[in-house]
Amino acid sequence: MTARIRHRRLTGIIVAALTGIAGAVAVAGPAQAAGPDYYVDCAAPAAGDGSSTSPWNSLSQVNARTFGPGDAVYFKRGVTCVGVLVAKGSGNAVAPIVLGAYGAGTQRPVINGNGADTAVYLKDVSYWKVTDLRVTNPSSTRAQRNGVKVESSSTAAKAGIEITGLEVDNVAGWGDKTGTNAGWFILSSGIMVYSASTAGPISGLKITNNYVHDTGGGGIKISNKPSQYHTGVLIAGNSIISVGGDGIVVHGSDAPLVERNRFDNGGGGAYPFVAGNFAGMWAINSRDPLFQFNEVTRQYPSNFDSTAWDCDGGIVGTCTYQYNFSHNNGGGFFLGCQGCTSYPNYAAKQIIRFNISQDDCRIAANLENSSPTEIYNNTFYCMSRPLDLKLPTGTSANTKVANNIFVAAQGSLPTGTNLTYQKNLYWGGVTPPAGETGAVQGDPKLSFPGGTSTGFNSANGYRLSTGSPALGAGNVLSGLGARDYFGTPVPNAAGNVNIGADNGSGVPPKTFSSLGEAFNNVGISRDDNPRLGGYTLSGRSYSGEALELAGFRYGTVNSNGTSFGWPQRYYGFPDNVKAAGQTISVSRSGSRLAFIGSGTYGTQSGTGTVRYTDGTSANFTLTFADWLSTSAAPGTSLAAAMTYHHKPPSTYNNPSTGRDEADVNLWYAAVPLNSAKTVASVTLPSGSPLAGGGLHIFAMTVA
């Protein structure tokens, strides 16, 4: 079974677990005036009259009717209708037309386009609400194809389109943004809004609380600008998983709001990305776009992009990204590309504030070198990768970088006449640029960066602990906004501004409730996306598939007579602890404390401490050979042997170029315990939490 298939089967679990970022978004609507209700049961033996007792049994019966204000069409739960649903007629602001579900249970009705251009088609209509359906459009061949398509082709303005609460999946859209059919990629996605350049705009366009997965070309796209900007655009609360392209694209819209969406595994899925470029969530040819409270993670690499966020060509006014969380994306954090498209370059202001970025580590904002750019109060934490920043330095850019946390083992920041730094904090292998005023150097004492106690990253790990040198050390600046990432006022109650995305007063130092909560490194990646890993600063990692062949997969594993919980089911999230003096709560008795892990950059050894519930403690020495070593360190033994591992691919769309045939190993080590006592906690050996030489621990148990 391939990793890609396994991932698709987990997407339902992923969506259920991810309520912190992409939670349900309440969208208020007008009270609906009563109108005729029509029922559709495509399993019914005969074509009825559309009543509840004699439902229609085909989409052709639905398509034959022109609906009016207050009408509703309900499809029977658990039943599939094959073909294309074509909306006809319009509702009004008081009485929209509704497509929905009826019947017992929670299983959605299915509209299966069966390889058509579009499965649910709303063309030149107003005031429709499409809800509680599953829309799918599979095919054995890929082409320009969508699940739901909203289109404006006439010059008349449209209004009141709401797409909410759908599952849209397995749409065989185009995956190649290069060559003759590149335009098919732009017009393929799970949910598509398209307007001819001479057509009337749509006011009141809401796309909310949908689950979009395994759709070729992308997740949710507004493509092309009509005669005027779309207005009242809200894209919120959507979970977009394993789609073969962009997560969310907003084109031709005035003040669009994109918030509380989650995009994971971009470029993968049933219809994966093939070639060219894609990115996480971005705007193009729009005015004053705002992206906030979103999450983008684990994107595949592409030709250049694959960043979480992007301000693209034709943006007017201000392009704002605030209160977002991104991590482990193939192309990094942010792309500033206003000057690298066929659209005019209006040098819109770029505001990037109070975001948290983990192991993205790349900003390519110098492609448009004249945009005024403000980068304030972000937390950039590079556990496994060097920091790579390119910022605008043109005469009108006036780039300001202030109150940010920069943590990385390697990297440097650019300098220029029109680029200023103020009161940023630096730790690891990065130092303040020459001429910075008020720079702070030292451990920011983040609570538990990278921690994944539930299998997913937690932004809460990026709160400041008490004693952090970032507390109260920032500048009070205009343009910071009223709150931080976590909702704390800016300035806070004490009148201060911290450095970083957390403006609170500091949380108590962390004692980890599990090893997983302390995870701070991505040591395992998938064969189809080796770029996810960062076991070393060169981007190498174990193969999840190779580990599985060796018997190490999520759940329980056995090594050297000891049973361990194997930690991570979703490759590409942190999966091991690089020892840095973390204290882990245990509460268990046994004769030995056992570990599975390895060293990096040679054999590594360090001293840890076991504390018992009676107040006593004992030190121990933990030693692991390097993961590339052919023999175990003295007193340890082999846990698992793999015949290959991963490196960054030399060709972005050929993951096989990220395979290195050199053998790698995991090692087993155990230290004795007083079996008459109960272990209260284990403090791991000291070291740096950042990629480099040190001890890596994937599993630990008292046995």
Side-chain angles (χ1 to χ4, degrees), residues 404-407 423-427 440-444 469-470 499:
N404 302 283
I405 292 175
F406 293 103
V407 175
K423 290 201 171 182
N424 300 285
L425 183 148
Y426 304 88
W427 188 56
V440 176
Q441 297 187 72
D443 183 354
I499 297 175

Side-chain angles (χ1 to χ4, degrees), residues 2 139 172 281 288 295 438 465 563 593 681:
T2 68
S139 176
M281 300 182 191
D288 295 327
E295 181 177 0
S465 297
S563 179
L593 177 63
S681 66

Side-chain angles (χ1 to χ4, degrees), residues 4 8 137-142 169-175 214-217 242-245 267-273:
R4 183 174 296 143
R8 293 204 305 274
N137 198 4
S139 176
S140 59
T141 59
R142 299 177 68 174
D169 67 280
N170 287 283
V171 175
W174 195 247
D214 297 286
T215 58
S242 299
V243 303
Y271 301 100
F273 166 77

Side-chain angles (χ1 to χ4, degrees), residues 80-171:
T80 297
C81 293
V82 178
V84 179
L85 189 158
V86 181
K88 294 181 180 177
S90 291
N92 59 40
V94 176
I97 299 166
V98 175
L99 293 179
Y102 80 97
T106 59
Q107 191 173 8
R108 294 182 175 95
V110 180
I111 308 297
N112 184 343
N114 198 31
D117 174 84
T118 296
V120 175
Y121 191 23
L122 284 73
K123 181 180 180 181
D124 295 330
V125 297
S126 291
Y127 296 105
W128 280 72
K129 179 179 180 179
V130 183
T131 185
D132 205 16
L133 305 175
R134 179 186 168 203
V135 179
T136 186
N137 198 4
S139 176
S140 59
T141 59
R142 299 177 68 174
Q144 178 180 309
R145 193 172 281 121
N146 299 285
V148 177
K149 185 176 182 179
V150 178
E151 182 174 352
S152 175
S153 67
S154 68
T155 57
K158 288 85 184 177
I161 302 296
E162 184 176 358
I163 311 295
T164 185
L166 304 183
E167 178 179 2
V168 183
D169 67 280
N170 287 283
V171 175

Side-chain angles (χ1 to χ4, degrees), residues 27 66 98 128 139 166 176 181 195 227 240 256 275 374 378 383 398 440 477 489 499 508 541 587 617 619 697:
V27 179
T66 299
V98 175
W128 280 72
S139 176
L166 304 183
D176 189 347
N181 297 322
S195 300
S227 59
I240 305 166
E374 297 176 354
N378 303 280
M383 303 181 299
N398 194 23
V440 176
L477 304 170
I499 297 175
S541 58
S587 188
S617 63
N619 292 335
I697 301 165

